[in-house]
Amino acid sequence: METTLRGVGVSHGVAIGEVRHMGTAVLEPPAKQIPAEEAEREQGRARQAVEAVAADLIARGNLAGGEAQHVLEAQAMMAQDPELMADVERRIAVGSTAERGVYDAFAAYRALLANAGEYLAGRVADLDDVRNRIVARLLGVPMPGVPDSDEPYVLIARDLAPADTALLDPALVLGFVTEEGGPTSHSAILARALGVPAVVALPGAGELAEGTVIAVDGSTGEIFVEPSAEKRAEMESAAAARKAALSASSGPGTTSDGHKVPLLANVGGPGDVPAAVEAGAEGVGLFRTEFLFLDDSKQAPSEEKQVAAYRAVLEAFPEGRVVVRVLDAGADKPLDFLTPADEPNPALGVRGLRSLLDHPDVLRTQLTALSKAAQGLPVHLEVMAPMVADRADAKAFADACREAGLQAKFGAMVEIPSAALRARSILREVEFLSLGTNDLAQYTFAADRQVGAVSRLQDPWQPALLDLVALSAEAARAEGKSCGVCGEAASDPLLACVLTGLGVTSLSMGAASIPYVRATLAKHTLAQCERAASAARAADSAEEARVAAQGVLSGE
């Protein structure tokens, strides 16, 4: 009998297939004491296992490339953390086996993360995966990972670690469903990059029996268990129609009546550029530069290294627009040379621009490297600061850009509600705004973006969030300046129409979402988008806003 479940749709598309569950490693090794003379040998075993797992994660990252590579390299650094390794060796020295020492040391670090504020707690899944891989290697049991199958299937997991998501084979894994996670978790971001339909934050997903046929709608978040023939035919027909529309869609982003909405790509480094170019991105709306700095948490990369990486991206978009976000460190991306170690709540502490203003040499080097990377290129370079709270922040950033001799437009990200409320004031100091809807939702609703339990408050359809977008866009229009969206909200085709109706002037997203957004925008006039935006803002919940906008755009 067909039943319907609802989670949070995070990656477009339809998947219909049998359920297969994620395999897990033995989580807790036995607790037994070893003689003192065996401690040195066990410490060596632990070090070898850690290095092997780190090497495997880096190799997986190299194979996957793009956003996945940066995530997996960060996991490898987590495995090799010197303080963690020192704790492992201390535990072995007093009698633990290598596997038990690893398990207990990671458990202690896990507790620190879980209690360090919800933002950092969102990295617990990544830490658990690293621990399981090291313990599995020491015990000689299979690594956690996707099941072996010759037939395509829908993958079910409590959560998916980046190492698993990055190397999913779309030919076998039709889609995936997780019990935990949120729309901006690593798994969701990587699913969109892969183009695999995905639904997260579905309580009870693990109770779906192996072999059960389910239909997954990655756009709506709906899961149909044992779907009827009629439901399957309906979903397959809709998927085919969507695919045909995507194939027919090309060129710049525009509404059906010719209103231009540039469609840009979010990239994490040179590895993401080919997919963006192939998708027809008109430039880069968010170039995350953290990937360079996360390679070594002890010191900033040299100016020469930065110049080479930036130029590789800038050269890919001749005469296009490339918007670079300067280093956004802190919170879930701590750097030893930049981030305070004793903050009670890092998400609300010294992160983003605040860190850079405390370390002007790091900011100056990055701005100088960007200036040198752009020399002689016809690219339209724009540089923006993360976590701008007010006009004083915006002025400090603009002053730093001018002092570095940067020939580019200076902008501010709107991620803090105060920046949206005072957008016109901020625009007296900078030339454009870019809305980071992931963090803006997090701070507006006090709902951590990595925690599935509060996923309804992370929904970018929340009317309060749309109000803040509208305020920012209206301020930019009044000042004759631009206001883009580079958060995950822009990757939702229906919401992209609403954002256009709110007055947003460009949309930036993962490359895989660009064709969907382009095709949907091309079906509607600007006036329809404006009416849909008004209807969504008049609603009282995210679901009501989505339904109201859909009704307007479908002519109901």
Side-chain angles (χ1 to χ4, degrees), residues 34-260:
I34 60 169
E37 59 269 21
E38 293 184 15
E40 187 173 343
R41 178 178 66 85
E42 289 294 289
Q43 289 171 340
R45 286 182 65 226
R47 285 192 295 271
Q48 289 174 356
V50 165
E51 290 305 318
V53 166
D56 178 63
L57 289 168
I58 290 171
R60 285 168 175 259
N62 290 336
L63 283 173
E67 182 74 27
Q69 183 172 3
H70 314 319
V71 172
L72 293 178
E73 286 174 351
Q75 265 198 299
M77 288 175 58
M78 188 181 283
Q80 296 171 304
D81 184 280
E83 291 187 14
L84 252 177
M85 197 62 228
D87 191 19
V88 170
E89 294 189 345
R90 279 195 298 271
R91 293 172 188 275
I92 294 173
V94 295
S96 287
T97 61
E99 45 266 43
R100 189 71 204 192
V102 167
Y103 181 86
D104 289 340
F106 271 73
Y109 191 47
R110 188 186 199 280
L112 286 175
L113 279 185
N115 294 321
E118 289 186 347
Y119 207 103
L120 276 178
R123 291 294 169 264
V124 163
D126 295 4
L127 183 70
D128 286 348
D129 180 60
V130 172
R131 176 203 64 199
N132 287 351
R133 290 175 184 277
I134 297 171
V135 171
R137 189 171 190 90
L138 287 165
L139 292 175
V141 301
M143 289 285 179
V146 297
D148 291 327
S149 176
D150 296 328
E151 297 297 324
Y153 58 90
V154 177
L155 181 63
I156 306 293
R158 182 182 61 81
D159 200 355
L160 277 172
D164 298 315
T165 316
L167 295 183
L168 289 179
D169 181 356
L172 282 177
V173 181
L174 301 172
F176 67 75
V177 180
T178 65
E179 292 192 49
E180 299 182 2
T184 59
S185 65
H186 278 154
S187 291
I189 292 170
L190 293 177
R192 285 187 285 270
L194 288 165
V196 177
V199 172
V200 301
L202 179 69
E207 297 171 13
L208 291 168
E210 191 90 0
T212 303
V213 175
I214 64 172
V216 179
D217 189 325
S219 299
T220 66
E222 291 176 306
I223 308 291
F224 301 95
V225 182
E226 299 290 1
S228 64
E230 291 78 12
K231 174 58 72 175
R232 292 179 67 153
E234 174 191 329
M235 295 182 72
E236 287 169 350
S237 175
R242 188 180 300 159
K243 186 175 181 179
L246 293 179
S247 299
S249 172
S250 62
T254 178
T255 59
S256 62
D257 57 339
H259 176 72
K260 293 181 180 180

Side-chain angles (χ1 to χ4, degrees), residues 129-388:
D129 180 60
V130 172
R131 176 203 64 199
N132 287 351
R133 290 175 184 277
I134 297 171
V135 171
R137 189 171 190 90
L138 287 165
L139 292 175
V141 301
M143 289 285 179
V146 297
D148 291 327
S149 176
D150 296 328
E151 297 297 324
Y153 58 90
V154 177
L155 181 63
I156 306 293
R158 182 182 61 81
D159 200 355
L160 277 172
D164 298 315
T165 316
L167 295 183
L168 289 179
D169 181 356
L172 282 177
V173 181
L174 301 172
F176 67 75
V177 180
T178 65
E179 292 192 49
E180 299 182 2
T184 59
S185 65
H186 278 154
S187 291
I189 292 170
L190 293 177
R192 285 187 285 270
L194 288 165
V196 177
V199 172
V200 301
L202 179 69
E207 297 171 13
L208 291 168
E210 191 90 0
T212 303
V213 175
I214 64 172
V216 179
D217 189 325
S219 299
T220 66
E222 291 176 306
I223 308 291
F224 301 95
V225 182
E226 299 290 1
S228 64
E230 291 78 12
K231 174 58 72 175
R232 292 179 67 153
E234 174 191 329
M235 295 182 72
E236 287 169 350
S237 175
R242 188 180 300 159
K243 186 175 181 179
L246 293 179
S247 299
S249 172
S250 62
T254 178
T255 59
S256 62
D257 57 339
H259 176 72
K260 293 181 180 180
V261 187
L263 302 181
L264 312 171
N266 294 344
V267 304
D272 291 337
V273 168
V277 173
E278 184 179 352
E282 298 169 61
V284 172
L286 172 61
F287 178 7
R288 305 180 185 94
T289 58
E290 290 76 52
F291 79 101
L292 274 171
F293 293 80
L294 292 173
D295 285 346
D296 183 353
S297 68
K298 303 296 183 184
Q299 60 183 358
S302 67
E303 182 181 301
E304 293 73 20
K305 183 177 181 180
Q306 292 189 55
V307 169
Y310 302 150
R311 194 171 181 89
V313 174
L314 296 176
E315 287 177 335
F317 295 94
E319 301 185 14
R321 177 186 179 201
V322 176
V323 184
V324 179
R325 180 179 70 189
V326 294
L327 176 62
D328 184 14
D332 67 331
K333 295 170 286 190
L335 295 170
D336 293 347
F337 67 89
L338 201 68
T339 309
D342 56 352
E343 288 188 311
N345 191 338
L348 300 179
V350 183
R351 64 166 289 200
L353 180 62
R354 298 167 186 174
S355 292
L356 293 175
L357 294 178
D358 281 351
H359 297 80
D361 53 324
V362 175
L363 177 58
R364 188 182 310 111
T365 299
Q366 185 170 26
L367 294 174
T368 301
L370 284 165
S371 180
K372 290 182 178 180
Q375 284 177 5
L377 297 179
V379 68
H380 299 286
L381 176 63
E382 302 184 13
V383 182
M384 61 185 180
M387 300 299 290
V388 171

